[in-house]
Amino acid sequence: MYKTARMMLLLAFLCVKLDIRAQEGDAETRKIEWGGELTTEMQFANSGKVNFANVLRLHTCIPINGDISLDISTLSTYMTSEESIGEDLQTFSNLDADNTLLTLSVCGIHWEIDQRNTLFLGVRNMNEDYFASDLTSLFTNSSCGIFPTLSANYPIANYPLASVGVHYRYEQPLSAGESCIIVQGSLYNGLGHNRFAGRENVFRFCPKNDGLFGLAQIEYQHKGSSYFLGACGRNGYGDEATGRQFGSALWTYAEQRLSDNLSLIADYSHAFGSSSFCTDFFGLGGRYSWKGCELGLFSDYARFADSDEFATELTMKIGISNHVHIQPAVHLISTDSHFHSAALLRLGVEF
């Protein structure tokens, strides 16, 4: 595991060098773009357990012609504890994952058809496109990254997994640029994977055995506020261990801007079918920004097959520079009236 950590740090250093060189050449040739993010955090649970979590994301965009490019992103993860140290069902840290080195999260052709339409074909992680707004991405709990009515029910192309698929996006500006409608749709191989070879390789496309997973979302943006409505469905695959057959889910959430500094968020999602592990999710929260800092408070309720869970997160994201931030967070969780807590201190570096 320590070799993996050293390799991740070496890759981050090399990509900083490559990014500087690419940007220097990019000013003249506008060719290959490089970049990445390193996120590292210490996690603490009230049970006394501690975890050191690290995620390195590297990405590049290689133009093929004026409208088409090859997009590639990789993920490397290193955890001192490969099992979550929390006792919660929703997973309080969205970094938690098995240790991997250079697994693909994106690898495919990106086509900008025109100013409104884009199409992607290849390996992709759904977190690239869904549940990735500025407000949801502030919070560190996994339920803001993707609602548990999807992540707990479907073994899909959700971090740190990816699948072969196609993704389409349409964007239509309205009212002289003050409003915008964005429509997205995706169709993936029914199971997500994170390996380069074998049955669990990310290039696998086998609807007969893995099924298919599709989702679509419409977003309306108006003067800094955003409103989302989406749905997903899956067929052709059941969980042999539990006997559950996966069906469909619906979600909606709103991010309402009240002032230049204050925004509120409200979430709701429901999974259809009595065999779903997580059937309902509700969330309410807000963000206050000032002088390069963001203060966030979010509370949610998730109904699982045999449990009810309430979770609250208080977090603050503090910008150290344009490329570095630190973020402490405290999580208070009640699972079937059993109270537990967790905290983390996160460092993020972009290059």
Side-chain angles (χ1 to χ4, degrees):
M1 290 192 297
Y2 292 105
K3 290 182 179 179
T4 303
R6 290 197 298 269
M7 182 64 72
M8 288 175 62
L9 290 174
L10 177 60
L11 287 169
F13 175 77
L14 290 174
C15 283
V16 170
K17 294 294 187 182
L18 287 170
D19 187 46
I20 293 173
R21 293 179 181 178
Q23 290 179 7
E24 289 174 350
D26 203 42
E28 299 178 359
T29 62
R30 306 298 299 177
K31 291 186 178 179
I32 299 176
E33 298 179 3
W34 299 83
E37 301 90 33
L38 174 64
T39 307
T40 181
E41 72 181 21
M42 291 297 301
Q43 304 172 2
F44 310 90
N46 65 338
S47 61
K49 296 180 180 179
V50 178
N51 185 28
F52 180 45
N54 304 267
V55 177
L56 175 65
R57 182 178 186 273
L58 307 175
H59 54 85
T60 183
C61 176
I62 305 172
I64 298 175
N65 63 30
D67 301 320
I68 300 176
S69 63
L70 173 64
D71 292 356
I72 302 174
S73 296
T74 65
L75 283 174
S76 298
T77 59
Y78 170 70
M79 319 283 157
T80 55
S81 174
E82 292 197 62
E83 295 184 358
S84 175
I85 64 171
E87 302 175 28
D88 58 326
L89 297 173
Q90 298 183 68
T91 310
F92 72 89
S93 173
N94 53 20
L95 296 191
D96 285 355
D98 293 335
N99 289 340
T100 58
L101 181 62
L102 294 177
T103 184
L104 285 174
S105 59
V106 177
C107 183
I109 298 298
H110 179 88
W111 178 22
E112 294 187 5
I113 302 171
D114 52 36
Q115 292 182 347
R116 298 177 183 176
N117 298 271
T118 60
L119 186 68
F120 178 90
L121 179 62
V123 174
R124 197 166 182 89
N125 180 310
M126 64 177 292
N127 306 106
E128 299 286 328
D129 310 297
Y130 302 93
F131 306 99
S133 67
D134 289 340
L135 210 161
T136 56
S137 61
L138 167 64
F139 297 98
T140 65
N141 73 81
S142 295
S143 289
C144 276
I146 177 173
F147 299 158
T149 47
L150 282 73
S151 60
N153 291 333
Y154 309 103
I156 49 176
N158 176 41
Y159 166 87
L161 307 179
S163 293
V164 170
V166 58
H167 174 73
Y168 169 75
R169 176 185 171 99
Y170 171 79
E171 185 170 338
Q172 174 64 61
L174 303 171
S175 304
E178 291 188 349
S179 303
C180 182
I181 290 180
I182 300 172
V183 179
Q184 298 188 85
S186 305
L187 184 65
Y188 295 97
N189 184 62
L191 290 178
H193 301 294
N194 64 351
R195 301 187 184 278
F196 284 95
R199 188 180 177 86
E200 296 184 3
N201 77 88
V202 294
F203 303 104
R204 175 184 170 91
F205 185 73
C206 188
K208 181 178 179 179
N209 294 322
D210 296 351
L212 289 171
F213 179 72
L215 65 165
Q217 177 180 274
I218 183 169
E219 174 187 355
Y220 175 64
Q221 299 177 351
H222 180 67
K223 295 183 178 180
S225 298
S226 297
Y227 311 93
F228 304 81
L229 176 65
C232 67
R234 183 196 180 99
N235 73 330
Y237 176 82
D239 189 332
E240 296 179 358
T242 63
R244 292 191 177 95
Q245 296 293 321
F246 304 114
S248 58
L250 176 75
W251 68 87
T252 182
Y253 62 106
E255 299 179 353
Q256 180 66 48
R257 181 183 181 185
L258 300 182
S259 69
D260 291 341
N261 304 103
L262 180 62
S263 296
L264 301 180
I265 183 172
D267 308 332
Y268 172 69
S269 181
H270 175 74
F272 297 91
S274 58
S275 62
S276 297
F277 179 53
C278 179
T279 56
D280 291 284
F281 173 79
F282 304 85
L284 289 172
R287 176 188 65 185
Y288 184 77
S289 306
W290 84 105
K291 296 182 179 179
C293 298
E294 297 177 84
L295 178 65
L297 177 65
F298 185 82
S299 293
D300 67 59
Y301 163 76
R303 179 183 296 147
F304 293 89
D306 302 313
S307 304
D308 293 323
E309 184 166 273
F310 295 87
T312 296
E313 175 183 351
L314 176 63
T315 188
M316 176 179 284
K317 188 175 182 179
I318 306 167
I320 304 301
S321 70
N322 291 334
H323 302 284
V324 180
H325 71 267
I326 58 173
Q327 183 174 7
V330 176
H331 297 264
L332 305 176
I333 305 154
S334 175
T335 308
D336 285 341
S337 301
H338 171 62
F339 177 79
H340 39 105
S341 61
L344 59 84
L345 180 61
R346 179 173 294 185
L347 171 68
V349 181
E350 297 181 5
F351 48 87

mmCIF file with all atom_site columns, all heavy atoms in Angstrom, residues 187-205:
data_model
loop_
_atom_site.group_PDB
_atom_site.id
_atom_site.type_symbol
_atom_site.label_atom_id
_atom_site.label_alt_id
_atom_site.label_comp_id
_atom_site.label_asym_id
_atom_site.label_entity_id
_atom_site.label_seq_id
_atom_site.pdbx_PDB_ins_code
_atom_site.Cartn_x
_atom_site.Cartn_y
_atom_site.Cartn_z
_atom_site.occupancy
_atom_site.B_iso_or_equiv
_atom_site.pdbx_formal_charge
_atom_site.auth_seq_id
_atom_site.auth_comp_id
_atom_site.auth_asym_id
_atom_site.auth_atom_id
_atom_site.pdbx_PDB_model_num
ATOM 1   N N   . LEU A 1 187 ? -26.488 6.404   -21.654 1.00 0.00 ? 187 LEU A N   1
ATOM 2   C CA  . LEU A 1 187 ? -26.766 4.976   -21.646 1.00 0.00 ? 187 LEU A CA  1
ATOM 3   C C   . LEU A 1 187 ? -25.459 4.241   -21.425 1.00 0.00 ? 187 LEU A C   1
ATOM 4   O O   . LEU A 1 187 ? -24.496 4.429   -22.170 1.00 0.00 ? 187 LEU A O   1
ATOM 5   C CB  . LEU A 1 187 ? -27.398 4.540   -22.969 1.00 0.00 ? 187 LEU A CB  1
ATOM 6   C CG  . LEU A 1 187 ? -27.826 3.070   -23.045 1.00 0.00 ? 187 LEU A CG  1
ATOM 7   C CD1 . LEU A 1 187 ? -28.955 2.786   -22.053 1.00 0.00 ? 187 LEU A CD1 1
ATOM 8   C CD2 . LEU A 1 187 ? -28.263 2.699   -24.468 1.00 0.00 ? 187 LEU A CD2 1
ATOM 9   N N   . TYR A 1 188 ? -25.406 3.437   -20.345 1.00 0.00 ? 188 TYR A N   1
ATOM 10  C CA  . TYR A 1 188 ? -24.182 2.751   -19.944 1.00 0.00 ? 188 TYR A CA  1
ATOM 11  C C   . TYR A 1 188 ? -24.364 1.238   -19.939 1.00 0.00 ? 188 TYR A C   1
ATOM 12  O O   . TYR A 1 188 ? -25.499 0.740   -19.802 1.00 0.00 ? 188 TYR A O   1
ATOM 13  C CB  . TYR A 1 188 ? -23.773 3.147   -18.516 1.00 0.00 ? 188 TYR A CB  1
ATOM 14  C CG  . TYR A 1 188 ? -23.399 4.584   -18.313 1.00 0.00 ? 188 TYR A CG  1
ATOM 15  C CD1 . TYR A 1 188 ? -24.329 5.502   -17.828 1.00 0.00 ? 188 TYR A CD1 1
ATOM 16  C CD2 . TYR A 1 188 ? -22.099 5.027   -18.565 1.00 0.00 ? 188 TYR A CD2 1
ATOM 17  C CE1 . TYR A 1 188 ? -23.984 6.822   -17.600 1.00 0.00 ? 188 TYR A CE1 1
ATOM 18  C CE2 . TYR A 1 188 ? -21.743 6.343   -18.339 1.00 0.00 ? 188 TYR A CE2 1
ATOM 19  C CZ  . TYR A 1 188 ? -22.692 7.231   -17.858 1.00 0.00 ? 188 TYR A CZ  1
ATOM 20  O OH  . TYR A 1 188 ? -22.338 8.543   -17.639 1.00 0.00 ? 188 TYR A OH  1
ATOM 21  N N   . ASN A 1 189 ? -23.249 0.528   -19.992 1.00 0.00 ? 189 ASN A N   1
ATOM 22  C CA  . ASN A 1 189 ? -23.249 -0.870  -19.610 1.00 0.00 ? 189 ASN A CA  1
ATOM 23  C C   . ASN A 1 189 ? -23.780 -0.963  -18.185 1.00 0.00 ? 189 ASN A C   1
ATOM 24  O O   . ASN A 1 189 ? -23.489 -0.121  -17.344 1.00 0.00 ? 189 ASN A O   1
ATOM 25  C CB  . ASN A 1 189 ? -21.837 -1.446  -19.688 1.00 0.00 ? 189 ASN A CB  1
ATOM 26  C CG  . ASN A 1 189 ? -21.791 -2.932  -19.383 1.00 0.00 ? 189 ASN A CG  1
ATOM 27  O OD1 . ASN A 1 189 ? -22.382 -3.743  -20.079 1.00 0.00 ? 189 ASN A OD1 1
ATOM 28  N ND2 . ASN A 1 189 ? -21.081 -3.289  -18.314 1.00 0.00 ? 189 ASN A ND2 1
ATOM 29  N N   . GLY A 1 190 ? -24.575 -1.990  -17.885 1.00 0.00 ? 190 GLY A N   1
ATOM 30  C CA  . GLY A 1 190 ? -25.294 -2.033  -16.620 1.00 0.00 ? 190 GLY A CA  1
ATOM 31  C C   . GLY A 1 190 ? -24.449 -2.152  -15.379 1.00 0.00 ? 190 GLY A C   1
ATOM 32  O O   . GLY A 1 190 ? -24.919 -1.830  -14.285 1.00 0.00 ? 190 GLY A O   1
ATOM 33  N N   . LEU A 1 191 ? -23.218 -2.614  -15.475 1.00 0.00 ? 191 LEU A N   1
ATOM 34  C CA  . LEU A 1 191 ? -22.324 -2.742  -14.330 1.00 0.00 ? 191 LEU A CA  1
ATOM 35  C C   . LEU A 1 191 ? -21.100 -1.848  -14.536 1.00 0.00 ? 191 LEU A C   1
ATOM 36  O O   . LEU A 1 191 ? -20.566 -1.761  -15.635 1.00 0.00 ? 191 LEU A O   1
ATOM 37  C CB  . LEU A 1 191 ? -21.866 -4.187  -14.143 1.00 0.00 ? 191 LEU A CB  1
ATOM 38  C CG  . LEU A 1 191 ? -22.915 -5.196  -13.668 1.00 0.00 ? 191 LEU A CG  1
ATOM 39  C CD1 . LEU A 1 191 ? -22.289 -6.585  -13.595 1.00 0.00 ? 191 LEU A CD1 1
ATOM 40  C CD2 . LEU A 1 191 ? -23.492 -4.799  -12.330 1.00 0.00 ? 191 LEU A CD2 1
ATOM 41  N N   . GLY A 1 192 ? -20.661 -1.212  -13.448 1.00 0.00 ? 192 GLY A N   1
ATOM 42  C CA  . GLY A 1 192 ? -19.440 -0.427  -13.496 1.00 0.00 ? 192 GLY A CA  1
ATOM 43  C C   . GLY A 1 192 ? -18.238 -1.263  -13.096 1.00 0.00 ? 192 GLY A C   1
ATOM 44  O O   . GLY A 1 192 ? -18.342 -2.175  -12.271 1.00 0.00 ? 192 GLY A O   1
ATOM 45  N N   . HIS A 1 193 ? -17.072 -0.962  -13.679 1.00 0.00 ? 193 HIS A N   1
ATOM 46  C CA  . HIS A 1 193 ? -15.846 -1.719  -13.395 1.00 0.00 ? 193 HIS A CA  1
ATOM 47  C C   . HIS A 1 193 ? -14.667 -0.754  -13.255 1.00 0.00 ? 193 HIS A C   1
ATOM 48  O O   . HIS A 1 193 ? -14.780 0.444   -13.565 1.00 0.00 ? 193 HIS A O   1
ATOM 49  C CB  . HIS A 1 193 ? -15.569 -2.726  -14.514 1.00 0.00 ? 193 HIS A CB  1
ATOM 50  C CG  . HIS A 1 193 ? -16.674 -3.718  -14.716 1.00 0.00 ? 193 HIS A CG  1
ATOM 51  N ND1 . HIS A 1 193 ? -17.016 -4.658  -13.780 1.00 0.00 ? 193 HIS A ND1 1
ATOM 52  C CD2 . HIS A 1 193 ? -17.530 -3.909  -15.762 1.00 0.00 ? 193 HIS A CD2 1
ATOM 53  C CE1 . HIS A 1 193 ? -18.020 -5.388  -14.228 1.00 0.00 ? 193 HIS A CE1 1
ATOM 54  N NE2 . HIS A 1 193 ? -18.349 -4.957  -15.429 1.00 0.00 ? 193 HIS A NE2 1
ATOM 55  N N   . ASN A 1 194 ? -13.537 -1.278  -12.817 1.00 0.00 ? 194 ASN A N   1
ATOM 56  C CA  . ASN A 1 194 ? -12.359 -0.417  -12.653 1.00 0.00 ? 194 ASN A CA  1
ATOM 57  C C   . ASN A 1 194 ? -11.046 -1.134  -12.956 1.00 0.00 ? 194 ASN A C   1
ATOM 58  O O   . ASN A 1 194 ? -9.999  -0.759  -12.444 1.00 0.00 ? 194 ASN A O   1
ATOM 59  C CB  . ASN A 1 194 ? -12.311 0.156   -11.236 1.00 0.00 ? 194 ASN A CB  1
ATOM 60  C CG  . ASN A 1 194 ? -12.143 -0.909  -10.164 1.00 0.00 ? 194 ASN A CG  1
ATOM 61  O OD1 . ASN A 1 194 ? -12.229 -2.096  -10.446 1.00 0.00 ? 194 ASN A OD1 1
ATOM 62  N ND2 . ASN A 1 194 ? -11.902 -0.477  -8.928  1.00 0.00 ? 194 ASN A ND2 1
ATOM 63  N N   . ARG A 1 195 ? -11.096 -2.139  -13.814 1.00 0.00 ? 195 ARG A N   1
ATOM 64  C CA  . ARG A 1 195 ? -9.871  -2.852  -14.170 1.00 0.00 ? 195 ARG A CA  1
ATOM 65  C C   . ARG A 1 195 ? -9.631  -2.766  -15.675 1.00 0.00 ? 195 ARG A C   1
ATOM 66  O O   . ARG A 1 195 ? -10.502 -2.372  -16.444 1.00 0.00 ? 195 ARG A O   1
ATOM 67  C CB  . ARG A 1 195 ? -9.948  -4.309  -13.716 1.00 0.00 ? 195 ARG A CB  1
ATOM 68  C CG  . ARG A 1 195 ? -10.160 -4.456  -12.206 1.00 0.00 ? 195 ARG A CG  1
ATOM 69  C CD  . ARG A 1 195 ? -10.070 -5.905  -11.766 1.00 0.00 ? 195 ARG A CD  1
ATOM 70  N NE  . ARG A 1 195 ? -10.360 -6.034  -10.355 1.00 0.00 ? 195 ARG A NE  1
ATOM 71  C CZ  . ARG A 1 195 ? -9.478  -5.812  -9.375  1.00 0.00 ? 195 ARG A CZ  1
ATOM 72  N NH1 . ARG A 1 195 ? -8.235  -5.471  -9.694  1.00 0.00 ? 195 ARG A NH1 1
ATOM 73  N NH2 . ARG A 1 195 ? -9.809  -5.946  -8.117  1.00 0.00 ? 195 ARG A NH2 1
ATOM 74  N N   . PHE A 1 196 ? -8.411  -3.154  -16.086 1.00 0.00 ? 196 PHE A N   1
ATOM 75  C CA  . PHE A 1 196 ? -8.047  -3.099  -17.494 1.00 0.00 ? 196 PHE A CA  1
ATOM 76  C C   . PHE A 1 196 ? -8.212  -4.440  -18.191 1.00 0.00 ? 196 PHE A C   1
ATOM 77  O O   . PHE A 1 196 ? -8.172  -4.515  -19.415 1.00 0.00 ? 196 PHE A O   1
ATOM 78  C CB  . PHE A 1 196 ? -6.601  -2.614  -17.656 1.00 0.00 ? 196 PHE A CB  1
ATOM 79  C CG  . PHE A 1 196 ? -6.438  -1.142  -17.451 1.00 0.00 ? 196 PHE A CG  1
ATOM 80  C CD1 . PHE A 1 196 ? -6.065  -0.641  -16.216 1.00 0.00 ? 196 PHE A CD1 1
ATOM 81  C CD2 . PHE A 1 196 ? -6.678  -0.249  -18.485 1.00 0.00 ? 196 PHE A CD2 1
ATOM 82  C CE1 . PHE A 1 196 ? -5.922  0.715   -16.018 1.00 0.00 ? 196 PHE A CE1 1
ATOM 83  C CE2 . PHE A 1 196 ? -6.533  1.117   -18.299 1.00 0.00 ? 196 PHE A CE2 1
ATOM 84  C CZ  . PHE A 1 196 ? -6.164  1.606   -17.062 1.00 0.00 ? 196 PHE A CZ  1
ATOM 85  N N   . ALA A 1 197 ? -8.362  -5.504  -17.433 1.00 0.00 ? 197 ALA A N   1
ATOM 86  C CA  . ALA A 1 197 ? -8.459  -6.831  -18.029 1.00 0.00 ? 197 ALA A CA  1
ATOM 87  C C   . ALA A 1 197 ? -9.403  -7.694  -17.211 1.00 0.00 ? 197 ALA A C   1
ATOM 88  O O   . ALA A 1 197 ? -9.753  -7.358  -16.076 1.00 0.00 ? 197 ALA A O   1
ATOM 89  C CB  . ALA A 1 197 ? -7.078  -7.483  -18.114 1.00 0.00 ? 197 ALA A CB  1
ATOM 90  N N   . GLY A 1 198 ? -9.806  -8.816  -17.792 1.00 0.00 ? 198 GLY A N   1
ATOM 91  C CA  . GLY A 1 198 ? -10.686 -9.735  -17.095 1.00 0.00 ? 198 GLY A CA  1
ATOM 92  C C   . GLY A 1 198 ? -12.150 -9.330  -17.194 1.00 0.00 ? 198 GLY A C   1
ATOM 93  O O   . GLY A 1 198 ? -12.529 -8.388  -17.896 1.00 0.00 ? 198 GLY A O   1
ATOM 94  N N   . ARG A 1 199 ? -12.974 -10.034 -16.453 1.00 0.00 ? 199 ARG A N   1
ATOM 95  C CA  . ARG A 1 199 ? -14.422 -9.816  -16.505 1.00 0.00 ? 199 ARG A CA  1
ATOM 96  C C   . ARG A 1 199 ? -14.819 -8.431  -15.988 1.00 0.00 ? 199 ARG A C   1
ATOM 97  O O   . ARG A 1 199 ? -15.874 -7.907  -16.357 1.00 0.00 ? 199 ARG A O   1
ATOM 98  C CB  . ARG A 1 199 ? -15.126 -10.903 -15.684 1.00 0.00 ? 199 ARG A CB  1
ATOM 99  C CG  . ARG A 1 199 ? -16.635 -10.903 -15.826 1.00 0.00 ? 199 ARG A CG  1
ATOM 100 C CD  . ARG A 1 199 ? -17.260 -12.014 -14.992 1.00 0.00 ? 199 ARG A CD  1
ATOM 101 N NE  . ARG A 1 199 ? -18.717 -11.991 -15.052 1.00 0.00 ? 199 ARG A NE  1
ATOM 102 C CZ  . ARG A 1 199 ? -19.443 -12.571 -15.989 1.00 0.00 ? 199 ARG A CZ  1
ATOM 103 N NH1 . ARG A 1 199 ? -18.833 -13.244 -16.947 1.00 0.00 ? 199 ARG A NH1 1
ATOM 104 N NH2 . ARG A 1 199 ? -20.763 -12.506 -15.979 1.00 0.00 ? 199 ARG A NH2 1
ATOM 105 N N   . GLU A 1 200 ? -14.001 -7.822  -15.142 1.00 0.00 ? 200 GLU A N   1
ATOM 106 C CA  . GLU A 1 200 ? -14.323 -6.520  -14.553 1.00 0.00 ? 200 GLU A CA  1
ATOM 107 C C   . GLU A 1 200 ? -13.578 -5.378  -15.240 1.00 0.00 ? 200 GLU A C   1
ATOM 108 O O   . GLU A 1 200 ? -13.355 -4.327  -14.645 1.00 0.00 ? 200 GLU A O   1
ATOM 109 C CB  . GLU A 1 200 ? -14.008 -6.518  -13.056 1.00 0.00 ? 200 GLU A CB  1
ATOM 110 C CG  . GLU A 1 200 ? -14.860 -7.507  -12.277 1.00 0.00 ? 200 GLU A CG  1
ATOM 111 C CD  . GLU A 1 200 ? -14.622 -7.426  -10.780 1.00 0.00 ? 200 GLU A CD  1
ATOM 112 O OE1 . GLU A 1 200 ? -13.841 -6.555  -10.354 1.00 0.00 ? 200 GLU A OE1 1
ATOM 113 O OE2 . GLU A 1 200 ? -15.222 -8.228  -10.045 1.00 0.00 ? 200 GLU A OE2 1
ATOM 114 N N   . ASN A 1 201 ? -13.220 -5.528  -16.509 1.00 0.00 ? 201 ASN A N   1
ATOM 115 C CA  . ASN A 1 201 ? -12.512 -4.451  -17.200 1.00 0.00 ? 201 ASN A CA  1
ATOM 116 C C   . ASN A 1 201 ? -13.502 -3.377  -17.648 1.00 0.00 ? 201 ASN A C   1
ATOM 117 O O   . ASN A 1 201 ? -14.666 -3.651  -17.960 1.00 0.00 ? 201 ASN A O   1
ATOM 118 C CB  . ASN A 1 201 ? -11.713 -4.995  -18.391 1.00 0.00 ? 201 ASN A CB  1
ATOM 119 C CG  . ASN A 1 201 ? -12.585 -5.309  -19.580 1.00 0.00 ? 201 ASN A CG  1
ATOM 120 O OD1 . ASN A 1 201 ? -12.855 -4.439  -20.422 1.00 0.00 ? 201 ASN A OD1 1
ATOM 121 N ND2 . ASN A 1 201 ? -13.030 -6.564  -19.691 1.00 0.00 ? 201 ASN A ND2 1
ATOM 122 N N   . VAL A 1 202 ? -13.036 -2.123  -17.664 1.00 0.00 ? 202 VAL A N   1
ATOM 123 C CA  . VAL A 1 202 ? -13.912 -0.978  -17.929 1.00 0.00 ? 202 VAL A CA  1
ATOM 124 C C   . VAL A 1 202 ? -14.392 -0.939  -19.382 1.00 0.00 ? 202 VAL A C   1
ATOM 125 O O   . VAL A 1 202 ? -15.342 -0.211  -19.688 1.00 0.00 ? 202 VAL A O   1
ATOM 126 C CB  . VAL A 1 202 ? -13.207 0.346   -17.593 1.00 0.00 ? 202 VAL A CB  1
ATOM 127 C CG1 . VAL A 1 202 ? -12.941 0.459   -16.113 1.00 0.00 ? 202 VAL A CG1 1
ATOM 128 C CG2 . VAL A 1 202 ? -11.912 0.493   -18.386 1.00 0.00 ? 202 VAL A CG2 1
ATOM 129 N N   . PHE A 1 203 ? -13.758 -1.694  -20.266 1.00 0.00 ? 203 PHE A N   1
ATOM 130 C CA  . PHE A 1 203 ? -14.161 -1.702  -21.675 1.00 0.00 ? 203 PHE A CA  1
ATOM 131 C C   . PHE A 1 203 ? -15.248 -2.740  -21.971 1.00 0.00 ? 203 PHE A C   1
ATOM 132 O O   . PHE A 1 203 ? -15.690 -2.872  -23.106 1.00 0.00 ? 203 PHE A O   1
ATOM 133 C CB  . PHE A 1 203 ? -12.947 -1.977  -22.560 1.00 0.00 ? 203 PHE A CB  1
ATOM 134 C CG  . PHE A 1 203 ? -11.817 -1.000  -22.358 1.00 0.00 ? 203 PHE A CG  1
ATOM 135 C CD1 . PHE A 1 203 ? -10.687 -1.359  -21.632 1.00 0.00 ? 203 PHE A CD1 1
ATOM 136 C CD2 . PHE A 1 203 ? -11.900 0.286   -22.872 1.00 0.00 ? 203 PHE A CD2 1
ATOM 137 C CE1 . PHE A 1 203 ? -9.655  -0.454  -21.443 1.00 0.00 ? 203 PHE A CE1 1
ATOM 138 C CE2 . PHE A 1 203 ? -10.884 1.196   -22.684 1.00 0.00 ? 203 PHE A CE2 1
ATOM 139 C CZ  . PHE A 1 203 ? -9.754  0.821   -21.959 1.00 0.00 ? 203 PHE A CZ  1
ATOM 140 N N   . ARG A 1 204 ? -15.675 -3.456  -20.957 1.00 0.00 ? 204 ARG A N   1
ATOM 141 C CA  . ARG A 1 204 ? -16.680 -4.510  -21.130 1.00 0.00 ? 204 ARG A CA  1
ATOM 142 C C   . ARG A 1 204 ? -18.038 -3.895  -21.476 1.00 0.00 ? 204 ARG A C   1
ATOM 143 O O   . ARG A 1 204 ? -18.519 -2.980  -20.802 1.00 0.00 ? 204 ARG A O   1
ATOM 144 C CB  . ARG A 1 204 ? -16.783 -5.327  -19.849 1.00 0.00 ? 204 ARG A CB  1
ATOM 145 C CG  . ARG A 1 204 ? -17.883 -6.388  -19.854 1.00 0.00 ? 204 ARG A CG  1
ATOM 146 C CD  . ARG A 1 204 ? -17.931 -7.064  -18.489 1.00 0.00 ? 204 ARG A CD  1
ATOM 147 N NE  . ARG A 1 204 ? -19.095 -7.922  -18.343 1.00 0.00 ? 204 ARG A NE  1
ATOM 148 C CZ  . ARG A 1 204 ? -19.139 -9.203  -18.635 1.00 0.00 ? 204 ARG A CZ  1
ATOM 149 N NH1 . ARG A 1 204 ? -18.063 -9.793  -19.116 1.00 0.00 ? 204 ARG A NH1 1
ATOM 150 N NH2 . ARG A 1 204 ? -20.229 -9.915  -18.454 1.00 0.00 ? 204 ARG A NH2 1
ATOM 151 N N   . PHE A 1 205 ? -18.663 -4.394  -22.515 1.00 0.00 ? 205 PHE A N   1
ATOM 152 C CA  . PHE A 1 205 ? -20.034 -4.020  -22.862 1.00 0.00 ? 205 PHE A CA  1
ATOM 153 C C   . PHE A 1 205 ? -20.788 -5.303  -23.145 1.00 0.00 ? 205 PHE A C   1
ATOM 154 O O   . PHE A 1 205 ? -20.634 -5.922  -24.203 1.00 0.00 ? 205 PHE A O   1
ATOM 155 C CB  . PHE A 1 205 ? -20.070 -3.089  -24.072 1.00 0.00 ? 205 PHE A CB  1
ATOM 156 C CG  . PHE A 1 205 ? -21.455 -2.576  -24.384 1.00 0.00 ? 205 PHE A CG  1
ATOM 157 C CD1 . PHE A 1 205 ? -22.049 -1.616  -23.583 1.00 0.00 ? 205 PHE A CD1 1
ATOM 158 C CD2 . PHE A 1 205 ? -22.159 -3.081  -25.460 1.00 0.00 ? 205 PHE A CD2 1
ATOM 159 C CE1 . PHE A 1 205 ? -23.335 -1.157  -23.857 1.00 0.00 ? 205 PHE A CE1 1
ATOM 160 C CE2 . PHE A 1 205 ? -23.446 -2.626  -25.745 1.00 0.00 ? 205 PHE A CE2 1
ATOM 161 C CZ  . PHE A 1 205 ? -24.030 -1.658  -24.938 1.00 0.00 ? 205 PHE A CZ  1
#
